[in-house]
Amino acid sequence: MSVPGGAAAAPALLPESVPGVRAALLGAGRLLPSPRSTPFAFGYVVLLLATSLYGEYGDPETVSALLRGSSTDVAHLSTTPVLTIFASALWIAGGMASPYALVFLFVLAALERRIGGRRTAGVFLLGHVVATLATEGPVALSVLAGHLPESSLHRLDYGISFGLMATVGALAGLLTPFLRWTALAVVGVLLVQDLLDMAEPLAAWGHPVALLVGVACWPAVRRVRVTPYP
């Protein structure tokens, strides 16, 4: 059954809806990293995209060797700690298809807009380092005590998730109270689920540590007033 005036009503809505969709897309686009407003986040994302593409399409033996060399396991941390810490943050576990990658795009850019690129890099690196040491340290002690096999010193471990969690924790301190505690509650539920599953024990314990590192940064990040990039 046809409705009188129905054929004319539908086209009439189209011109009004298109600007609304365009505005929504533009608004979402502003949240993404850009070379002008968030150069650190943009450059880091481009670098991670490059390593992810190489990890997907590069020579498998070379990729495997690079990942082993970038692993923040006890063996590497005891010999080349600085190189290992930085190299491990050049890869996304699971590549760009990982859910961490999408969250990383928005969270890192959002924090940089609020506190600047250098401070954002500092928060990320602090969480990455502290959570890595907090999880790998007990592994080293357990091997020395004979509770874990020596092979645990060479466990493959790399990625951005610790730094991401610290960034999430720091950004939460800059949100309104409702958004802050809602975000922390959602992330907290996910972290508790990881602890219950224990699919990756070191990551499961390292993520809450990194999140708390970000929360500990609240006094520092709240004092910052950033002048936008020209």
Side-chain angles (χ1 to χ4, degrees), residues 24-113:
L25 291 176
L26 288 174
R30 293 191 188 100
L31 299 177
L32 293 171
S34 74
R36 182 175 180 179
S37 62
T38 54
F40 166 70
F42 181 82
Y44 195 8
V45 167
V46 170
L47 181 59
L48 289 172
L49 177 61
T51 57
S52 295
L53 289 174
Y54 186 77
E56 183 70 25
Y57 301 107
D59 176 64
E61 291 186 3
T62 303
V63 171
S64 178
L66 287 172
L67 292 178
R68 288 196 305 271
S70 303
S71 176
T72 51
D73 54 42
V74 176
H76 283 108
L77 288 173
S78 62
T79 54
T80 55
V82 176
L83 177 61
T84 299
I85 286 291
F86 281 96
S88 64
L90 299 179
W91 305 90
I92 301 177
M96 293 303 291
S98 167
Y100 288 115
L102 181 60
V103 176
F104 186 78
L105 285 174
F106 293 99
V107 171
L108 197 70
L111 187 61
E112 184 175 358
R113 288 190 182 93

Side-chain angles (χ1 to χ4, degrees), residues 110-120 123 170 174 220-222 224 226:
L111 187 61
E112 184 175 358
R113 288 190 182 93
R114 299 295 296 272
I115 68 172
R118 286 182 297 177
R119 296 180 184 90
T120 299
V123 169
L174 300 173
V221 299
R222 285 171 173 171
V224 175
V226 174

Side-chain angles (χ1 to χ4, degrees), residues 119-227:
R119 296 180 184 90
T120 299
V123 169
F124 180 93
L125 184 60
L126 184 63
H128 184 59
V129 171
V130 171
T132 296
L133 296 179
T135 51
E136 294 295 344
V139 171
L141 295 176
S142 296
V143 171
L144 287 174
H147 299 311
L148 287 177
E150 194 169 327
S151 59
S152 299
L153 300 176
H154 304 274
R155 191 186 64 87
L156 190 63
D157 185 19
Y158 62 89
I160 61 170
S161 61
F162 289 167
L164 172 60
M165 284 297 161
T167 306
V168 169
L171 181 62
L174 300 173
L175 302 177
T176 61
F178 174 77
L179 292 177
R180 177 187 312 140
W181 299 116
T182 300
L184 290 177
V186 171
V187 174
V189 169
L190 296 176
L191 296 185
V192 169
Q193 185 61 52
D194 284 345
L195 287 170
L196 293 175
D197 293 341
M198 276 295 169
E200 297 181 17
L202 294 190
W205 285 110
H207 289 155
V209 171
L211 183 68
L212 290 175
V213 169
V215 171
C217 292
W218 284 2
V221 299
R222 285 171 173 171
R223 291 196 299 265
V224 175
R225 293 294 181 269
V226 174
T227 300

